[in-house]
Amino acid sequence: MKTVAKAEPRVPAWARSSRMIAIYSVVVGIGIWQLAYEGLARTPYFEAYAIQHFLASPLQVIETFGELYRSGELFRHSYFSLLEFAYGFVLSVVVGIPVGFLMATQKKINTCLDPWVSCIYATPRVALAPIIIVWFGLGIFPNALIVFLGAVFPILLNTYTGIKSVRQNLIELVRAFGGSPLQVFFKVMIPDATPAIIAGLRLAVGRAVIGVVVAEWFGAEAGLGYMVYFYSQLFQPGPVFVGIVVLVVFGILSFIALDKVQGWISPWYAYQVRREVHGMEME
Amino acid sequence: METPASKLVVRNLRKAFRSQRSEESVQVFEDISLEVHPSEFISLVGPSGCGKTTFLRILDGLISHDDGEILLDGKTVIKPGPDKGFVFQDSSLLPWRTVMDNVILGLELQGVDTREARRKAGGYISLVGLAGFENHYPHELSGGMQQRVNLARALIVDPQVLLMDEPFASLDAQTREIMQAELLKMWNQTRKTVIFVTHQIEEAIFLSDRVVVFSARPATIREIVKVSIPRPRSLSVKRTKEFLDLADRVWSIIQDEVLKSMGREREEGMR
Ligand SMILES: Nc1ncnc2c1ncn2[C@@H]1O[C@H](COP(=O)(O)OP(=O)(O)OP(=O)(O)O)[C@@H](O)[C@H]1O
Ligand SMILES: [Mg+2]
């Protein structure tokens, strides 16, 4: 035993956790941004280059947020974007998982669809967006279609890989105990492919958010992407940053939600992670 | 009709694997016939690749055979089912299921109510010495514990015959001996008919009433060695002269076959 008592740490344990450190890091970053802005505002360059038209300070962003919130404008744009996101994403799930499954299990379907999937997946959406707007006009549905085009492939491809890499010995196990093909499907294939499918959903969220913004740049009368574009044309950086921040927060919340879903349906996941499939493309 | 004295009858079994790409086919069984009595413990030994796993899979009905017949209680085996329990070499536990839910798998597949299945599983989990681990996931268990789950899972469906494919192969020597003794204890309680595949001659003799020695591929039954060491057996019988003589005998038969199979493989390799 040491005789000298250790000095009590001045900071309590919870305040030194890695989560808190992450929060400090963000707060300090925002603080530096604020101070830099204030500093810049005191120099002659600020006026000379009209910096207020390109940059906003965190406090100004918060202020603008309040204004846009009160006027209802923020809600209108967010609602529009959320609908596009939701329609596009749900459609991606409804199409991506079954098609990925069929491609993984039916050789003929795979042979027929594979070239299409590869081609459309390889086409940049930025190139497809204008033509879709031209065909279908402005509105939620053409935009949701652009979201769908971005989000469906990670879901489809991960479902495909997930089903393909279901362990054969587990399938044999269920068969050996008299399991029917349907039982093999629900008791082995689905659970064993779930982590890969969820990894696909995570990738899809990011691509869907990009899809929302791209779609709204090319044609929309509302939406967060539209708002960002619109105010940047007016050289008003406040609303631009508000739009960006809301999109980022939305993306992060979706990730957290998916993590929760994952922890809920697959508590064995930490063990699964070591399997290679899930290393693909993530983060 | 079969005499009721035989639990399991294999008659003139033939099996070949045809490869999809070439015309070639691998003849695994030439002509196998075997009768197993009720409550008999049979071990299957033979050179690697001779078809032991394939034999069990055919007995279970997981794969088809070309010729011959297999009767369990006088009825032809056509597909897997609850009358047969399979213990896999790698424990093959479902990683997303707890010990409890892995054990009830067989009952669940038969449509038994989950609550009832769980009630029943408690006894089998205790039987294999895992009481208290019901809610653990497979990755939280040691290899030996996983094999116990594997065993409980096969026992709970109350099969007519238990097919075990090198269940202890991945265990260390000590755990293996303990598991052998435990298996015998359980067998004494349940008196199942067991077909037990192993590479270890000692293990085969220690556990079995008869040891079936397969020849190199295409496999036939080279010899059936009767083990008349009285039961219950303790681990110390492994040092008796009777035991060691039996082991020598089985060993020399297998050695012949292994040399044959290695010779043939070398020939095939050179072609
Ligand atoms: N599905 C299959 N398709 C084609 N050939 C197969 C198949 N399964 C097994 N074989 C072949 O059949 C032979 C017997 O294989 P099996 O796995 O039954 O041997 P084993 O006696 O269990 O070997 P080991 O002792 O190494 O486990 C081998 O030559 C193997 O290559
Ligand atoms: Mg084998």
Side-chain angles (χ1 to χ4, degrees):
Chain A
M1 278 263 296
K2 279 189 183 155
T3 46
V4 186
K6 261 212 198 125
E8 278 281 303
R10 278 170 305 160
V11 195
W14 64 265
R16 282 178 290 144
S17 67
S18 49
R19 173 172 300 191
M20 288 310 290
I21 290 173
I23 291 177
Y24 300 148
S25 163
V26 172
V27 169
V28 167
I30 292 174
I32 291 173
W33 176 8
Q34 181 70 34
L35 289 178
Y37 186 88
E38 304 268 343
L40 203 58
R42 281 174 177 68
T43 61
Y45 303 112
F46 194 80
E47 287 286 309
Y49 294 105
I51 289 195
Q52 72 275 20
H53 289 310
F54 301 100
L55 199 61
S57 75
L59 285 177
Q60 284 168 349
V61 172
I62 292 171
E63 201 178 310
T64 317
F65 182 90
E67 283 165 17
L68 290 171
Y69 179 78
R70 277 188 300 276
S71 71
E73 193 178 347
L74 187 60
F75 179 79
R76 189 166 58 88
H77 290 306
S78 302
Y79 180 70
F80 191 86
S81 292
L82 189 66
L83 277 188
E84 285 168 23
F85 176 88
Y87 289 144
F89 195 76
V90 168
L91 192 63
S92 311
V93 172
V94 169
V95 171
I97 293 181
V99 173
F101 173 76
L102 285 177
M103 286 177 68
T105 50
Q106 309 292 321
K107 193 145 183 11
K108 283 193 183 116
I109 295 186
N110 186 31
T111 317
C112 290
L113 290 187
D114 188 53
W116 292 97
V117 168
S118 305
C119 284
I120 304 176
Y121 186 42
T123 313
R125 261 172 312 161
V126 186
L128 285 181
I131 195 76
I132 286 176
I133 305 286
V134 169
W135 285 346
F136 298 103
L138 300 180
I140 286 183
F141 291 100
N143 287 10
L145 194 61
I146 295 168
V147 173
F148 165 78
L149 282 177
V152 71
F153 291 107
I155 298 177
L156 191 157
L157 295 173
N158 269 37
T159 304
Y160 177 85
T161 332
I163 295 285
K164 273 281 181 204
S165 55
V166 167
R167 283 159 280 187
Q168 287 303 314
N169 62 329
L170 299 183
I171 293 179
E172 173 137 298
L173 158 75
V174 171
R175 293 218 309 117
F177 278 89
S180 65
L182 214 62
Q183 284 173 322
V184 168
F185 177 67
F186 282 110
K187 298 195 189 285
V188 181
M189 299 182 83
I190 289 288
D192 207 23
T194 298
I197 295 174
I198 292 185
L201 293 180
R202 286 178 58 125
L203 290 170
V205 165
R207 293 176 58 101
V209 171
I210 296 173
V212 166
V213 174
V214 167
E216 288 170 359
W217 278 355
F218 283 100
E221 290 152 324
L224 290 167
Y226 169 80
M227 185 176 102
V228 167
Y229 184 73
F230 178 80
Y231 283 104
S232 69
Q233 298 296 298
L234 296 181
F235 292 99
Q236 287 187 29
V240 171
F241 280 103
V242 170
I244 293 172
V245 168
V246 171
L247 285 167
V248 167
V249 168
F250 177 78
I252 292 175
L253 288 181
S254 310
F255 267 39
I256 294 175
L258 277 175
D259 273 349
K260 285 268 183 284
V261 170
Q262 180 147 59
W264 172 56
I265 51 179
S266 49
W268 77 98
Y269 181 69
Y271 165 75
Q272 292 279 99
V273 171
R274 275 173 246 147
R275 291 180 57 210
E276 231 172 306
V277 237
H278 313 304
M280 56 184 297
E281 283 196 344
M282 282 193 54
E283 265 102 331
Chain B
M1 276 305 286
E2 277 318 306
T3 51
S6 292
K7 188 78 186 168
L8 181 72
V9 178
V10 178
R11 223 184 274 134
N12 308 113
L13 180 72
R14 291 167 63 87
K15 169 77 184 172
F17 281 116
R18 271 159 290 273
S19 80
Q20 283 157 342
R21 269 160 292 158
S22 63
E23 304 286 286
E24 268 179 64
S25 74
V26 181
Q27 190 72 36
V28 187
F29 301 124
E30 203 58 89
D31 180 12
I32 299 223
S33 296
L34 178 68
E35 294 204 8
V36 183
H37 314 306
S39 298
E40 194 177 19
F41 199 122
I42 296 258
S43 282
L44 225 70
V45 296
S48 182
C50 73
K52 302 179 294 294
T53 300
T54 306
F55 188 66
L56 287 192
R57 292 171 79 212
I58 291 175
L59 290 188
D60 191 56
L62 269 171
I63 54 175
S64 63
H65 53 279
D66 301 335
D67 206 358
E69 60 179 344
I70 298 160
L71 303 173
L72 177 58
D73 284 325
K75 288 192 291 280
T76 306
V77 170
I78 23 181
K79 61 176 183 358
D83 49 347
K84 289 148 281 169
F86 209 113
V87 180
F88 291 85
Q89 173 173 350
D90 53 337
S91 55
S92 288
L93 302 178
L94 299 175
W96 51 87
R97 286 180 172 224
T98 59
V99 168
M100 173 60 85
D101 289 348
N102 266 292
V103 171
I104 66 168
L105 179 75
L107 295 179
E108 190 184 311
L109 293 173
Q110 290 169 42
V112 176
D113 174 59
T114 312
R115 226 169 325 137
E116 197 190 313
R118 291 213 171 112
R119 202 160 342 110
K120 198 170 167 196
Y124 285 92
I125 294 175
S126 311
L127 182 70
V128 296
L130 282 179
F133 288 94
E134 289 83 356
N135 297 319
H136 283 59
Y137 283 94
H139 68 270
E140 300 169 324
L141 304 179
S142 71
M145 291 159 95
Q146 293 185 11
Q147 282 304 349
R148 289 159 191 260
V149 179
N150 193 3
L151 196 57
R153 178 176 63 191
L155 287 173
I156 197 175
V157 295
D158 198 19
Q160 294 297 313
V161 54
L162 202 54
L163 307 169
M164 305 180 77
D165 190 8
E166 303 191 44
F168 305 148
S170 58
L171 304 181
D172 62 277
Q174 287 145 352
T175 315
R176 190 167 187 153
E177 291 223 311
I178 294 167
M179 291 293 290
Q180 288 167 5
E182 301 248 311
L183 177 62
L184 272 194
K185 222 170 70 194
M186 270 177 278
W187 179 75
N188 268 324
Q189 287 174 33
T190 57
R191 286 285 164 172
K192 296 275 172 230
T193 308
V194 180
I195 315 266
F196 186 99
V197 168
T198 178
H199 270 126
Q200 230 190 23
I201 295 159
E202 268 210 323
E203 183 171 82
I205 296 171
F206 177 66
L207 296 171
S208 314
D209 297 316
R210 288 189 291 162
V211 178
V212 175
V213 185
F214 272 18
S215 70
R217 216 183 59 226
T220 52
I221 292 179
R222 179 57 213 280
E223 196 152 335
I224 299 181
V225 178
K226 192 155 175 49
V227 182
S228 23
I229 301 171
R231 294 181 190 270
R233 299 171 189 162
S234 68
L235 283 168
S236 59
V237 300
K238 291 190 179 181
R239 286 186 294 277
T240 61
K241 174 146 190 338
E242 189 184 2
F243 188 96
L244 294 173
D245 285 349
L246 275 175
D248 266 353
R249 205 172 122 212
V250 175
W251 176 236
S252 62
I253 305 168
I254 293 189
Q255 201 175 20
D256 267 9
E257 291 302 325
V258 170
L259 288 178
K260 250 194 261 169
S261 86
M262 279 168 58
R264 202 199 48 235
E265 261 163 36
R266 203 169 309 133
E267 266 171 41
E268 279 174 2
M270 286 195 300
R271 257 192 274 134

